[in-house]
Amino acid sequence: MTYAWIKAGHLIFVIFWIAGLFMLPRYYIYHQEAAPGSDEEARWIDRERKLRNIILTPAMILVWVFGLTLAYTTGAWSQGWFHAKFALVLILSGYHGYMVSYGKKLARGERPVSGKALRIMNEVPGIATALIVILVIVRPF
Ligand code: HEM
C-alpha cells in the first residue's frame, strides 16, 4: 500500500518536472525574440523565474526523493535497467541545472546561445523520457 502511494507520488512529480522541462527552453526561445531591455523581456524573465522556482526545481527534488525511496524499497540497484535509467536521470538533472543557469544569464541580459540551438536542446527531455519509460516498463535488461 505504502509502496503504491510512493510510486504514485513519484509519477505525479515526474509529470510536473518533465512538463516544466518542456516549457522552460520554449520560454527562452520566445524571450530571445523580445527586444533587449523591453517590457516584454521583463515579463519573460518573471515567467521563467516563477516556472523554475514554483514548479521545476521543487518537482525535481520530489522525483529524486520518491525515486530513491522506491529504489531502496525494491532493491532496484542490482538491476541493469535501473543502472541505465539512473544514468539518464543524471543527464536530465544536469540538463535541468544548465537550463536554470541559462535563465539567470538571460535575466542579466546575456544571450549566449542562438534560438536554433535552444530548439535543438529542447529535444533532450522528450528523448530522455522515451528512453526512461522504455527502461522502466519493458526492462530489456
Ligand atoms: C530522479 C531519480 C529517479 C529514481 C531514483 C527513480 C527510481 C524509480 C524506481 C526504483 C522505480 C520503481 C520500479 C518498480 O516498481 O520496481 C521507478 C518507477 C518509475 N519511474 Fe522512476 N526514478 C527516477 C526518475 C524518473 C524519471 C525522470 C522518470 C520519467 C521520465 C521516471 C519514470 C518512472 C516510471 C514511469 C515508473 C513506473 C514503472 C512501473 O510501473 O513499475 N522515473 N522509478
Side-chain angles (χ1 to χ4, degrees):
M1 186 67 178
T2 313
Y3 163 77
W5 280 105
I6 295 170
K7 192 139 106 173
H10 181 58
L11 293 183
I12 289 165
F13 290 104
V14 160
I15 291 168
F16 288 179
W17 184 31
I18 302 298
L21 284 180
F22 282 145
M23 286 168 74
L24 192 64
R26 250 305 113 199
Y27 277 20
Y28 293 162
I29 292 164
Y30 298 139
H31 177 151
Q32 294 200 166
E33 287 168 2
S38 61
D39 286 350
E40 193 189 346
E41 177 169 53
R43 280 196 293 276
W44 281 114
I45 291 170
D46 186 49
R47 287 177 193 130
E48 290 155 7
R49 188 180 47 75
K50 284 181 178 148
L51 179 60
R52 288 194 304 264
N53 296 347
I54 299 171
I55 297 179
L56 211 53
T57 300
M60 182 186 71
I61 292 167
L62 289 166
V63 168
W64 271 100
V65 170
F66 284 118
L68 288 175
T69 310
L70 285 172
Y72 282 110
T73 318
T74 61
W77 295 108
S78 59
Q79 294 161 34
W81 66 270
F82 185 71
H83 297 155
K85 171 181 172 166
F86 200 71
L88 285 168
V89 174
L90 285 176
I91 292 169
L92 209 53
S93 302
Y95 175 86
H96 172 122
Y98 173 81
M99 282 300 164
V100 167
S101 77
Y102 191 84
K104 290 179 182 162
K105 286 186 186 140
L106 274 182
R108 289 198 298 267
E110 299 167 34
R111 296 183 178 198
V113 165
S114 69
K116 192 177 173 200
L118 281 172
R119 282 183 168 82
I120 293 168
M121 282 190 249
N122 206 7
E123 303 302 327
V124 170
I127 295 168
T129 301
L131 294 174
I132 290 170
V133 170
I134 290 168
L135 283 168
V136 293
I137 304 291
V138 182
R139 302 194 179 183
F141 44 84

